[in-house]
Amino acid sequence: MAEQEKYLFRAEKICKSFGTVHALKEFDITIKAGEIRGLVGENGSGKSTFSSIVAGIQKHDSGKMYLDGQPYEPTGTVDAINHGVSMVVQEQGTISKISVAANIFFGKEEKFAKGGVLNVKEMNREAAKALQNIYVDNIKPEMMIDQLSFEDRKLVELARALYTSPKIWIIDETTTALSVAGRELLYKLMKEKRDEGKAILFISHDIEEIMDKCDSLTVLRDGLFIANLQKEEFNADKIRQLLIGRELSGHYYRDDTGVEISKQVVLEAKNVIAGSVQNLTLQLHKGEILGIGGLSDCGMHDVGKVLFGLLKPETGEVLKDQKEPVKSASWAVRHGIGYVSKNRDQESLMLISSIADNICLPSLKDLTPFGPISDRKQKQLAEKWSERMEVKADSVKVFCNTLSGGNKQKVVLAKWLGKGSDIMILDCPTRGIDVGTKAAIYQLIMQMKEEGKSILLISEELQELIGMSDRIVLLRDGAVSGEFLRNEGLTEAKLIQKMI
């Protein structure tokens, strides 16, 4: 048997460049049938570039790939699917303005067409089977995709990816978009497919998750293959060191046990009902990191939208400095409030625009209050904050849709820091971020606190809340269910009791 035939999939010396940036440099990887292989690396290491090449989204510059021992060169995503390769991406992968069923069978409509007429009933019936196959019964095929939450859209993507029973299933940072229940469903499906003899390429920044769910692991750094590890070789510290090429210095989270919270209130909600938020009353103090947590459907993400003016209260009010009502998002921006959405690509960035355009957007009126916009001032501001945030790109002219997840997040943070916002609402700011960039963002949050800025940190990760917050407010069914101070010796168990 030829060497490449020992593996279900094999890639040899894969290279891919974007201008002067070498995303992949002679990268090798092998995946066996009946194996869950983890692929890890810092943001910008080449993970998503490689997975998109395997899935037929883009072509590599050089190198070879083999599937079932045969040369594999997909001409596009449909060709990849026809060869048995499916992928679920990190960010939103559904198409707006069409139904759930139309999303599941996008590109496969001819399966339900006769004489040029689409049989919608038949497509809906088959879509219902696809959803049942992944144990989802709360999403109906005829529903418009825009009615669904970000998480439920991910479940539709899972149904679409697994409908064709792929030989290789690529999961690119999908767990960061799912609740605890959604993650457990994904893990169940991964185990089922592995036991059926399929292969899974699992990309995640969560080292504990990788160690628990994967049979083997490949480490990428700066586009280069670094190491392969088998299950028995897994060690968290070893993996972190391989990821960043050094040991993480200093503390990952804060190392203090708490400081006295200022009495000055900078932002507050009074008896607010809006969206999924029910009778919310809370206060954010000057220089405070206030953590907001709970289960995925608790309403915590709507808290950020309410305080930023994106959601208008049906009853109650949101006040800045205990006197000025937050009238709208544009009012909030003008009055020093910044907002980082969990849904980065859809709500925090203009993807088909440059780094400079994104960083400068909130500050345009500050840069040139009268007359035409100054290109020179825009360039200066963008370069200053792109450099400070260490965004990896050839220049600030690079479009944001070409950046890795971590670099996109750096751009989002840079635009609010460049604006000089003194209140920062951060909704899952480290979602889909590698361990090195996470540490840098935590250091940035602490720096903002030391400068007297106030931070509302919304997170689905309990360790992040415990590690970074001065005070934690937990929600259940849209209402406050518990409150804790940093100096109370917090544990996940204590918080979970107030969440469920």
Side-chain angles (χ1 to χ4, degrees):
M1 183 182 290
E3 178 67 19
Q4 62 263 30
E5 293 177 334
K6 294 180 182 178
Y7 301 95
L8 178 61
F9 176 83
R10 183 181 185 91
E12 297 177 344
K13 299 187 181 305
I14 301 298
C15 295
K16 179 67 179 179
S17 295
F18 299 96
T20 60
V21 177
H22 299 288
L24 292 167
K25 308 167 193 173
E26 298 194 342
F27 176 62
D28 295 346
I29 193 172
T30 54
I31 310 173
K32 297 176 182 177
E35 177 182 39
I36 300 176
R37 175 165 286 270
L39 180 61
V40 298
E42 291 194 277
N43 288 113
S45 62
K47 306 181 304 298
S48 293
T49 298
F50 175 72
S51 60
S52 67
I53 289 169
V54 180
I57 296 170
Q58 59 184 327
K59 293 185 176 296
H60 51 292
D61 299 332
S62 60
K64 295 179 180 179
M65 295 188 292
Y66 300 92
L67 183 62
D68 276 335
Q70 300 299 314
Y72 171 65
E73 297 288 338
T75 57
T77 54
V78 174
D79 189 36
I81 291 168
N82 291 338
H83 278 86
V85 179
S86 286
M87 178 175 174
V88 180
V89 297
Q90 176 183 351
E91 300 298 341
Q92 187 173 301
T94 53
I95 301 163
S96 293
K97 311 299 182 187
I98 62 175
S99 71
V100 167
N103 265 279
I104 291 174
F105 296 112
F106 186 77
K108 308 184 190 77
E109 293 86 355
E110 70 280 358
K111 177 181 172 70
F112 308 101
K114 288 184 180 178
V117 178
L118 182 67
N119 187 332
V120 176
K121 284 187 178 180
E122 185 182 348
M123 184 171 72
N124 285 345
R125 279 195 297 270
E126 197 65 18
K129 290 180 187 177
L131 290 164
Q132 288 164 9
N133 286 342
I134 65 164
Y135 311 103
V136 171
D137 55 14
N138 65 309
I139 301 173
K140 305 305 176 186
E142 62 275 8
M143 293 172 71
M144 295 300 289
I145 199 74
D146 304 275
Q147 294 175 248
L148 304 184
S149 66
F150 186 63
E151 177 182 0
D152 282 347
R153 292 187 194 193
K154 277 289 156 204
L155 298 181
V156 172
E157 291 177 49
L158 294 185
R160 180 174 64 200
L162 294 180
Y163 175 75
T164 55
S165 190
K167 299 173 186 176
I168 298 178
W169 182 21
I170 304 170
I171 304 168
D172 187 0
E173 288 290 345
T174 302
T175 52
T176 61
L178 299 174
S179 65
V180 173
R183 292 180 191 191
E184 290 304 320
L185 172 60
L186 178 64
Y187 300 148
K188 178 180 179 179
L189 294 169
M190 287 167 59
K191 185 178 183 300
E192 282 184 3
K193 297 308 167 188
R194 178 186 63 187
D195 294 346
E196 291 170 8
K198 313 295 186 184
I200 295 107
L201 182 64
F202 186 58
I203 302 172
S204 174
H205 286 306
D206 189 328
I207 293 174
E208 298 301 324
E209 180 181 57
I210 284 282
M211 291 172 62
D212 186 38
K213 305 302 176 188
C214 295
D215 305 307
S216 57
L217 174 64
T218 296
V219 181
L220 251 174
R221 192 190 322 135
D222 296 328
L224 292 166
F225 166 81
I226 297 300
N228 280 326
L229 300 176
Q230 295 303 311
K231 187 85 169 181
E232 60 272 16
E233 300 175 283
F234 288 179
N235 174 278
D237 290 337
K238 180 179 181 180
I239 293 169
R240 287 191 186 98
Q241 191 165 353
L242 288 169
L243 278 170
I244 61 178
R246 67 193 193 295
E247 292 186 15
L248 277 172
S249 58
H251 295 273
Y252 193 55
Y253 297 117
R254 293 169 60 176
D255 59 347
D256 64 279
T257 55
V259 294
E260 186 177 349
I261 297 172
S262 165
K263 289 184 172 58
Q264 182 182 343
V265 176
V266 296
L267 192 63
E268 65 181 322
K270 288 185 172 182
N271 305 312
V272 168
I273 296 176
S276 57
V277 171
Q278 299 297 318
N279 199 31
L280 176 71
T281 295
L282 62 77
Q283 295 181 326
L284 174 66
H285 298 83
K286 183 174 177 58
E288 178 187 27
I289 301 174
L290 173 60
I292 305 289
L295 300 177
S296 63
D297 57 353
C298 71
M300 60 181 165
H301 303 299
D302 278 354
V303 171
K305 292 178 180 179
V306 166
L307 294 177
F308 188 61
L310 286 170
L311 268 178
K312 281 200 168 186
E314 297 169 27
T315 63
E317 59 182 349
V318 177
L319 299 176
K320 184 177 186 292
D321 299 326
Q322 297 189 292
K323 56 185 179 183
E324 298 178 278
V326 175
K327 302 178 180 69
S328 63
S330 58
W331 186 96
V333 172
R334 290 196 304 273
H335 290 79
I337 305 174
Y339 172 67
V340 175
S341 169
K342 175 187 177 183
N343 190 352
R344 181 173 53 229
D345 281 11
Q346 300 297 314
E347 297 176 356
S348 283
L349 281 173
M350 302 181 295
L351 290 177
I352 315 298
S353 293
S354 69
I355 293 169
D357 287 342
N358 275 276
I359 290 177
C360 294
L361 183 62
S363 305
L364 289 178
K365 288 186 177 179
D366 302 327
L367 292 172
T368 48
F370 307 104
I373 295 170
S374 166
D375 290 339
R376 179 181 60 82
K377 288 183 179 179
Q378 281 193 83
K379 186 171 183 287
Q380 285 175 344
L381 181 71
E383 287 182 343
K384 172 184 175 180
W385 286 103
S386 178
E387 185 177 331
R388 283 197 186 181
M389 293 301 296
E390 297 181 349
V391 178
K392 290 182 181 177
D394 280 352
S395 77
V396 293
K397 295 179 181 179
V398 169
F399 275 26
C400 287
N401 63 342
T402 66
L403 302 178
S404 67
N407 283 302
K408 286 177 182 175
Q409 194 71 330
K410 289 177 181 179
V411 172
V412 174
L413 290 166
K415 77 177 182 181
W416 296 117
L417 293 171
K419 171 65 178 170
S421 304
D422 53 15
I423 299 173
M424 296 287 280
I425 301 169
L426 308 179
D427 192 347
C428 298
T430 62
R431 185 179 76 84
I433 302 297
D434 63 75
V435 64
T437 307
K438 257 190 180 184
I441 287 176
Y442 293 147
Q443 289 169 10
L444 177 65
I445 289 172
M446 284 306 297
Q447 182 183 330
M448 289 191 288
K449 173 182 169 62
E450 288 163 8
E451 292 170 357
K453 296 182 187 295
S454 307
I455 298 102
L456 189 84
L457 176 61
I458 303 167
S459 179
E460 296 167 355
E461 306 295 333
L462 293 182
Q463 276 302 323
E464 183 169 81
L465 290 174
I466 293 169
M468 293 304 298
S469 304
D470 293 302
R471 187 165 55 99
I472 297 173
V473 171
L474 297 175
L475 274 68
R476 183 173 63 232
D477 298 326
V480 173
S481 60
E483 182 174 335
F484 300 89
L485 291 172
R486 183 172 189 82
N487 60 11
E488 293 180 20
L490 298 180
T491 64
E492 290 192 28
K494 278 186 181 179
L495 269 57
I496 289 170
Q497 284 180 350
K498 294 292 185 179
M499 290 165 54
I500 59 177

